[in-house]
Amino acid sequence: MPEDELSRSSHSNPGKSLVNGIKTNSASNSPKSSLSMPLGPPVYVDLAYIPNHCSGKNTDPEFFKRVRASYYVVSGNDAANGEPSRAVLDALLEGKSQWGENLQVTLIPTHDTEVTREWYQQTHEKQQELNIMVLASSSTVVMQDESFPACKIEF
């Protein structure tokens, strides 16, 4: 872009910039606050996959306050990258505690990790209080030369 066009474009819209393709006010220092969605009613679903392999980068208590599922799948199995994140598992407890209704929630870990085992043991009483069940699978599916743990979910 020629310098004079760049200059005109920045002066034609003072105080505005693009963050992820969305115009924002430069007065706001935090892109997250300028991109936050207005609060609405929670969304109820049967099954939700906790984003980003249960990494703390994208999931916080607000996710669990707004996305209310009967089943949450936790697929993280990379301790070096903080997956699954203890903070996300704790966020589930915090978010669920604010639902105002005691709906049954089942947490489905796809891997047996130290993080999930410790979280389960240390927060078991809170899980019971909040009607959260952690599903441990003792079933195994064998396909060709591979075998892996599995669980059955009925709706």
Side-chain angles (χ1 to χ4, degrees):
M1 180 182 279
E3 190 175 342
D4 61 329
E5 282 184 43
L6 181 61
S7 176
R8 268 194 310 236
S9 68
S10 64
H11 290 299
S12 66
N13 208 356
K16 300 278 183 181
S17 63
L18 288 179
V19 175
N20 294 330
I22 299 172
K23 289 184 181 179
T24 61
N25 285 326
S26 60
S28 172
N29 291 334
S30 168
K32 189 173 184 177
S33 67
S34 64
L35 297 175
S36 63
M37 302 282 297
L39 292 179
V43 176
Y44 291 85
V45 296
D46 290 327
L47 179 72
Y49 176 86
I50 299 177
N52 203 21
H53 304 287
C54 197
S55 167
K57 298 173 189 166
N58 299 41
T59 309
D60 60 8
E62 190 63 34
F63 173 82
F64 295 106
K65 290 178 199 171
R66 298 190 66 188
V67 179
R68 299 179 182 187
S70 297
Y71 299 89
Y72 290 102
V73 176
V74 176
S75 71
N77 190 27
D78 186 357
N81 284 320
E83 300 168 2
S85 166
R86 169 68 189 249
V88 173
L89 297 171
D90 289 340
L92 167 63
L93 297 175
E94 183 181 334
K96 173 86 167 61
S97 70
Q98 296 182 31
W99 285 13
E101 50 197 323
N102 199 18
L103 300 174
Q104 170 73 47
V105 168
T106 302
L107 191 67
I108 306 168
T110 61
H111 297 88
D112 181 22
T113 67
E114 188 175 330
V115 171
T116 53
R117 272 182 273 133
E118 285 180 3
W119 176 82
Y120 176 81
Q121 291 170 351
Q122 294 170 359
T123 65
H124 188 69
E125 285 182 28
K126 184 73 170 173
Q127 294 166 42
Q128 288 181 318
E129 176 186 314
L130 294 172
N131 205 14
I132 296 173
M133 180 176 72
V134 178
L135 188 62
S137 175
S138 59
S139 299
T140 302
V141 174
V142 178
M143 295 181 70
Q144 295 174 345
D145 296 334
E146 290 186 65
S147 67
F148 47 90
C151 64
K152 180 179 179 181
I153 303 171
E154 293 184 23
F155 296 100

